Amino acid sequence: ESILSRIRSLEYSQKNAVLVSAAALGVGGVLVFWLRSRHKIKTIEMGDGWWGSGERPLKGKEDESIRPFKIETSDKEIEDLHRRLEQARYAPPLEGAAFHYGFNSNYLRKVVAYWRNQFDWRKQVEVLNKYPHFLTTIEGIDIHFIHVKPSYVPHGRAVQPLLMVHGWPGSFYEFYKIIPLLTEPAGHGLNEGDVVFEVICPSIPGYGFSEAPHQKGFDTIATARIFHKLMNRLGFKQYYVQGGDWGSLITTNMAQMLPQCVKGLHVNLIFVNKQGLGRIISVMLGAYVPWLVGLTREDVRRTYPFMQKNIYDLLRESGYLHIQATKPDTAGCGLNDSPVGLAAYILEKFSTWTDKSFLHKDDGGLESKYSLDELLTNVMIYWVTSSIVSSMRLYKENLSQDPDLTVHTRVGVYVPTGIAAFPQEIVHTPRVWAKQNLKNIITYTYMPRGGHFAAFEEPKLLAQDIVHFVRKVEQL
């Protein structure tokens, strides 16, 4: 009996041991799965799309060839423009209005006179063609881009592909002054780095020489997918991306979609969607005890008085946004028909978005930062391509739904990120707020001067910050 009881006891303890081990393995497995799921990076599903005219062809593979492209003009195009400029009608401005009511028509007359009598579009076409242009068909529409490679790469230097994306009302031309700084850094005082770039600047579909989508629903996520396909078609597996305005959101979506392909994300405008009680508390305490909520002195200087800088100034500068997010085609009719109206609509943004104080100047301060040739070349890209309406539709496609329901607001950005915070940007986003979306900020720079059109206005400052960021990422 004693022996039998011992055997039973041994069997019982063995069963317990097995059960305990099984339970431990089960609990451990659940714990490991939970930990792994917590650290699994959520991404935006890449999906697919068709933006060509009519139904997507059932058979036949899309033409993936990359075709050289050259911008051209004609006597007929220039004569039509001159006729329209000559027939423009102007409403007299209020006395002392400066740019408070929009583009001052007295100064507009001077701009139009220069445009008609001195601006040389043929010469500017030659300037535009100094970089290699290409077209390729993606998802049913032709995508335009320039691709600039360094002419000389010093021994031991790594050539990094960099996709740079513009916004509205800009164009690929915004990057013409920064491209040589990035592709030939040694010749422009940026030779302290060990990085040289080859730069790819596409036109957003519906902007300039990229074909406009023919179907509804073309948003920044669709743009991000098309630009990933473009980079893949060019043979790149990994690349850096940079953007401001819409370009910032498009490149951010690219990082959310295929983080394994984006080596680093650099932006000069931050879209922060998360608000809530925490943000309200941060805003309230930030004015008095900024250190308690992670704000720096510079954040305070740029953010307060909060209502003035983040509500009133924003309302004043965003009337266009409400129009374009609701009925873009209506206002677009007039802009697409009148070069003078188009110039006033676009160039007003290059005034107050460059420097808020330009509101008080009769000429909008435009020629203090840009030449009329530069400004009118950007306008001409919209004019000759009749792309103002399709460019405005991007607001409708992105802003006509509840932002809390859009997929990219629920997906963090985990790729290395660099932020260039320019002091005259429309809104300032402190690093502590940016961290809610951008989880891996490597550099955050308070830029000493400059506004919304950073590459166009301050190309050297922006180039230096991009180089600084990429060097840091390469050293990780």
Side-chain angles (χ1 to χ4, degrees), residues 354-371:
T354 295
D355 191 317
K356 298 174 184 71
S357 70
F358 287 173
L359 198 70
H360 310 297
K361 294 178 177 288
D362 289 340
D363 63 357
L366 280 166
E367 292 177 77
S368 63
K369 292 295 182 78
Y370 315 102
S371 71

Side-chain angles (χ1 to χ4, degrees), residues 251-271:
T251 52
T252 298
N253 290 161
M254 292 179 74
Q256 294 168 312
M257 186 177 286
L258 294 178
Q260 69 273 25
C261 293
V262 178
K263 293 182 75 176
L265 164 70
H266 187 281
V267 294
N268 50 277
L269 178 66
I270 308 163
F271 287 85

Side-chain angles (χ1 to χ4, degrees), residues 410-473:
R410 303 192 299 273
V411 176
V413 178
Y414 294 88
V415 305
T417 302
I419 299 166
F422 285 84
Q424 291 293 332
E425 185 55 270
I426 302 166
V427 289
H428 173 67
T429 304
R431 180 176 185 147
V432 68
W433 295 356
K435 282 165 62 178
Q436 292 180 306
N437 293 74
L438 308 172
K439 310 294 186 180
N440 189 12
I441 298 173
I442 304 298
T443 62
Y444 183 104
T445 311
Y446 296 102
M447 306 304 281
R449 62 185 179 275
H452 186 72
F453 303 99
F456 204 39
E457 180 195 353
E458 294 289 351
K460 191 162 188 177
L461 283 181
L462 184 61
Q464 287 171 335
D465 200 67
I466 294 168
V467 169
H468 174 62
F469 164 68
V470 171
R471 286 186 70 200
K472 278 205 156 191
V473 175

Side-chain angles (χ1 to χ4, degrees), residues 71 73 77-78 81-82 85 115 119-122 124-125 128 171 208-209 339 342-343 346-347 373-387:
I71 299 170
T73 188
E77 184 175 73
I78 294 169
L81 171 69
H82 286 174
L85 294 177
W115 198 358
F119 179 77
D120 188 342
W121 175 231
R122 291 188 185 280
Q124 293 308 114
V125 165
L128 291 173
S171 63
F209 299 99
L342 181 68
I346 288 177
L347 297 186
D373 280 345
E374 290 170 345
L375 292 168
L376 290 171
T377 297
N378 183 65
V379 173
M380 284 295 289
I381 289 170
Y382 282 86
W383 177 253
V384 300
T385 58
S386 293
S387 60

Side-chain angles (χ1 to χ4, degrees), residues 6 19 65 158 176 179 344 356-358 395 398 443 451:
R6 284 182 183 180
L19 287 170
S65 65
Y176 267 49
I179 285 171
K356 298 174 184 71
S357 70
F358 287 173
Y395 289 80
N398 282 284
T443 62

Side-chain angles (χ1 to χ4, degrees), residues 160-316:
Q160 300 292 347
L162 173 65
L163 179 84
M164 303 190 79
V165 185
H166 64 88
W168 186 91
S171 63
F172 67 94
Y173 177 60
E174 283 182 71
F175 301 115
Y176 267 49
K177 288 185 281 188
I178 198 173
I179 285 171
L181 307 184
L182 297 169
T183 57
E184 315 287 345
H188 297 87
L190 297 172
N191 57 348
E192 75 277 5
D194 51 4
V195 177
V196 177
F197 296 94
E198 59 178 296
V199 180
I200 301 92
C201 299
S203 294
I204 298 171
Y207 287 66
F209 299 99
S210 276
E211 186 178 352
H214 297 267
Q215 312 294 332
K216 293 185 293 182
F218 188 86
D219 58 11
T220 58
I221 292 174
T223 313
R225 181 178 64 245
I226 281 177
F227 288 170
H228 270 309
K229 289 182 177 183
L230 170 64
M231 294 301 278
N232 182 259
R233 194 169 290 184
L234 291 171
F236 300 116
K237 302 302 179 190
Q238 287 191 309
Y239 32 88
Y240 287 92
V241 294
Q242 199 284 329
D245 195 86
W246 279 128
S248 170
L249 187 52
I250 291 164
T251 52
T252 298
N253 290 161
M254 292 179 74
Q256 294 168 312
M257 186 177 286
L258 294 178
Q260 69 273 25
C261 293
V262 178
K263 293 182 75 176
L265 164 70
H266 187 281
V267 294
N268 50 277
L269 178 66
I270 308 163
F271 287 85
V272 175
N273 300 299
K274 295 177 182 176
Q275 304 297 331
L277 182 61
R279 176 62 53 79
I280 294 170
I281 292 170
S282 179
V283 168
M284 291 173 66
L285 294 179
Y288 305 102
V289 280
W291 51 270
L292 194 61
V293 289
L295 299 183
T296 66
R297 286 184 179 180
E298 186 61 21
D299 289 329
V300 171
R301 194 179 71 79
R302 296 187 183 192
T303 306
Y304 298 91
F306 187 84
M307 290 297 290
Q308 179 64 49
K309 293 187 176 181
N310 296 272
I311 305 296
Y312 302 136
D313 287 357
L314 205 56
L315 283 172
R316 184 191 67 220

